[in-house]
Amino acid sequence: MPHLSIFDIAGPIMVGPSSSHTAGACKIGQFARALFHKTPQKVTFYLHGSFGEVYKGHATDKALLGGVMKFRTSDSDIKNAFEIAKEKGIKYEFIKKNLGLKWHPNTVKIVLEDGKYKMAVIGSSIGGGMIEILQIDSFKVHIRGRAGKHLSLVVMHDKSPSVTRAVVKYINSLGGIAVDEVVGQSLKDKTLSVVSMEGRRILLSEVMELEKIKGVDYARALSKLQKQQ
Amino acid sequence: MEFEFKTAEDLLKLTKKYDHSISTIAKWYEAERSNKSEGATRTQMKMVRDVMYEAVKKGIKSNQHTEWTGSGGDAHKLFNSLKDLKNMMGNKVTVRAMAYALAVNEQNALMGKIVAFPTAGGAGVIPGVLFSCAEHFHAGKRRLIKGLFTAAAVGLIIAERASLSAAKAGCQAEIGAAVAMAAAGLTEMRSGTPQQCLDSAAIGLKSYLGLVCDPLGGLVEVPCIKRNAIGAMAAIGASDMVMAGIKSKVPFDEVVSAMNNIAKHMSSKFRETALGSLAITKTGNEIKRKLGLKVTEEI
């Protein structure tokens, strides 16, 4: 267990009313947005369990939508998320849905669309503002939304060990970063790899270089979100 | 880690070894853990203080009410009573502390910006106590920061050995923890010894053992907001007793173990599920119906 920070106790700085139902929800939205990598035209939120039951009173809906628009958990604009989304021309919908028994009570499935692309992200808020991203499209993942030793990178690529090797080789060639672990899941001809790294934060320019590797569809760095309070 | 502590005993040893206050050890702990300078750590705590201060300032003026329980405007009422204290039994410091505590939690319920210190539901106690008392001492900003670090150190011990989550341990782990933390912080601001700080925390937490989490409609509004105000009074009381020379019979670490023992046996109905106590009274069920929640039982 890593040592707790004094600021895990004296924090996080957030807009109320609930760390799990507001701050955590916002964070899941941020991750979904980072994975989608662009402003969606349409977002649908499927609210599971307690998220579906009490989302209104805890402003879970506003926080999720705010997160998708890249708001921080402490952003007072979360309150006006609906109005801001309308201004930006983002269509949104909230649907109460039982996603199944295996999910944590505070879980949401977010479907982001922009005409050409569509992505589904499932995340759970596990208490005190901590979250986990557990599924991207049909791929199972396990990404924790809290500062830690490992910084994650999500890479979607052709199902081929040579592509995975090329990705790892490229990251290890960068100064100050080393690949610690790659957890991949393959469906049909595609693999989604979650790459855990140690060392410094990967730069956007380096992530863009990764996307140029043959067989890589996209690469998304989540380190900034994982570090943010 | 040189400045590692997981218990009050560890913390006391460190304060003796380095002949420094709890707040200083907490600051060094954070600097070491996060590999930051002492200055950067203090700057981060200043940010915490500033956010708290803004919430207090906004809250004592606000007359906004929440959508579901209609909570709000009470901080303003209590703060106004300070103008004419002769009808109040509490003194200026305690009444102001209650007003500030209400202010923060009303802001929380209204989606204002707050510091979840230790949690969103118990966020009012620490700013309530420390800001009101700092005003009384005409304390500089440095002294207030010391109080905040000491409060966080006590919270860290509770988080390490028990829990700060009402979903796990009931309200004793939120308001109860906040009372212990605020009492210790205040005692340090009054130049109490580390032992006295921990005695204040022990007396504070002892008085909140067993408190259940039973919010109406599951919302962080009733009874949470007012419990923060009463918690602020309790923390000041605990610190006053210690500064008068009273000691805690049971050491802080043992009180935390007691809290854990209760948590283990506490029904999930009393842990943030709104399935017991106040949440299932006639009034509680009215709020549930308003929210479209299922009413299961009425007492």
Side-chain angles (χ1 to χ4, degrees), chain A residues 3-6 11-12 14 16 74, chain B residues 29-30 33 108 112-114 116 218:
Chain A
H3 291 93
L4 283 172
S5 163
I6 286 289
M14 54 172 273
S74 61
Chain B
Y29 166 92
E30 180 62 20
R33 177 216 170 262
N108 181 57
K113 201 198 275 191
I114 56 106

Side-chain angles (χ1 to χ4, degrees), chain A residues 42-97:
Chain A
K42 189 174 173 238
V43 201
T44 314
F45 300 92
Y46 295 94
L47 304 160
H48 169 81
S50 164
F51 264 19
E53 294 301 329
V54 299
Y55 73 94
K56 268 188 208 157
H58 290 97
T60 308
D61 46 1
K62 291 176 185 167
L64 282 166
L65 186 59
V68 168
M69 295 189 289
K70 288 175 143 181
F71 293 179
R72 287 183 155 229
T73 51
S74 61
D75 197 329
S76 303
D77 269 343
I78 287 177
K79 217 190 286 188
N80 311 315
F82 294 161
E83 291 77 11
I84 295 168
K86 267 175 209 145
E87 275 167 31
K88 290 191 174 178
I90 303 171
K91 283 196 201 121
Y92 57 86
E93 197 180 352
F94 296 91
I95 299 166
K96 195 171 142 177
K97 195 183 176 193

Side-chain angles (χ1 to χ4, degrees), chain B residues 15 102 195 244 287:
Chain B
T15 60
L102 288 178
Q195 180 66 59
I287 301 291

Side-chain angles (χ1 to χ4, degrees), chain B:
Chain B
M1 259 180 76
E2 178 66 29
F3 297 104
E4 174 174 2
F5 62 90
K6 288 191 192 296
T7 63
E9 210 184 314
D10 294 346
L11 183 58
L12 266 181
K13 271 189 203 146
L14 284 169
T15 60
K16 274 188 198 127
K17 185 173 168 195
Y18 292 94
D19 193 23
H20 265 290
S21 60
I22 292 177
S23 64
T24 306
I25 300 293
K27 198 164 57 195
W28 289 347
Y29 166 92
E30 180 62 20
E32 185 185 11
R33 177 216 170 262
S34 308
N35 203 9
K36 281 186 296 204
S37 70
E38 211 183 307
T41 307
R42 201 166 44 232
T43 305
Q44 199 175 344
M45 192 59 96
K46 278 183 191 159
M47 212 164 81
V48 165
R49 177 202 64 201
D50 292 346
V51 173
M52 284 177 158
Y53 183 70
E54 286 304 314
V56 166
K57 227 169 59 180
K58 245 176 128 175
I60 51 175
K61 284 189 213 135
S62 167
N63 231 329
Q64 252 183 297
H65 294 261
T66 62
E67 190 177 349
W68 307 102
T69 69
S71 298
D74 292 343
H76 182 64
K77 274 183 206 155
L78 202 56
F79 189 70
N80 271 350
S81 78
L82 288 169
K83 285 178 195 151
D84 186 15
L85 268 171
K86 66 176 183 295
N87 292 323
M88 300 301 244
M89 295 301 125
N91 67 11
K92 193 170 174 180
V93 178
T94 53
V95 175
R96 188 171 53 202
M98 288 201 292
Y100 288 176
L102 288 178
V104 172
N105 282 82
E106 285 180 354
Q107 283 301 300
N108 181 57
L110 289 161
M111 293 188 72
K113 201 198 275 191
I114 56 106
V115 187
F117 188 175
T119 61
V125 179
I126 292 164
V129 171
L130 299 192
F131 286 11
S132 177
C133 293
E135 274 180 48
H136 175 74
F137 305 141
H138 302 291
K141 288 182 174 172
R142 209 165 250 270
R143 203 157 147 202
L144 187 65
I145 295 287
K146 287 181 96 173
L148 292 172
F149 270 111
T150 301
V154 168
L156 195 124
I157 294 166
I158 302 174
E160 286 284 2
R161 305 218 22 254
S163 170
L164 289 173
S165 155
K168 266 195 175 155
C171 195
Q172 57 172 354
E174 296 212 17
I175 307 275
V179 168
M181 292 159 70
L186 174 57
T187 300
E188 171 145 344
M189 281 173 67
R190 301 165 90 176
S191 308
T193 63
Q195 180 66 59
Q196 283 178 314
C197 292
L198 292 166
D199 272 3
S200 311
I203 294 172
L205 187 57
K206 270 194 287 190
S207 315
Y208 274 83
L209 288 179
L211 188 65
V212 302
C213 178
D214 49 358
L216 270 51
L219 304 172
V220 194
E221 298 180 18
V222 185
C224 324
I225 298 174
K226 292 192 186 92
R227 267 187 198 165
N228 273 270
I230 301 296
M233 280 265 245
I236 293 173
S239 176
D240 267 350
M241 283 167 78
V242 168
M243 292 314 282
I246 297 170
K247 293 189 176 77
S248 175
K249 189 85 189 159
V250 187
F252 185 65
D253 285 331
E254 291 178 25
V255 182
V256 175
S257 301
M259 184 180 122
N260 230 356
N261 175 254
I262 296 168
K264 244 185 265 165
H265 298 288
M266 194 184 272
S267 158
S268 71
K269 287 186 175 183
F270 303 129
R271 292 188 274 123
E272 219 180 336
T273 52
L275 293 173
S277 185
L278 291 174
I280 58 164
T281 55
K282 190 167 157 250
T283 312
N285 283 339
E286 272 166 25
I287 301 291
K288 274 192 173 175
R289 286 188 193 101
K290 232 166 131 180
L291 277 159
L293 294 175
K294 217 164 77 189
V295 171
T296 46
E297 192 185 344
E298 184 157 309
I299 47 174

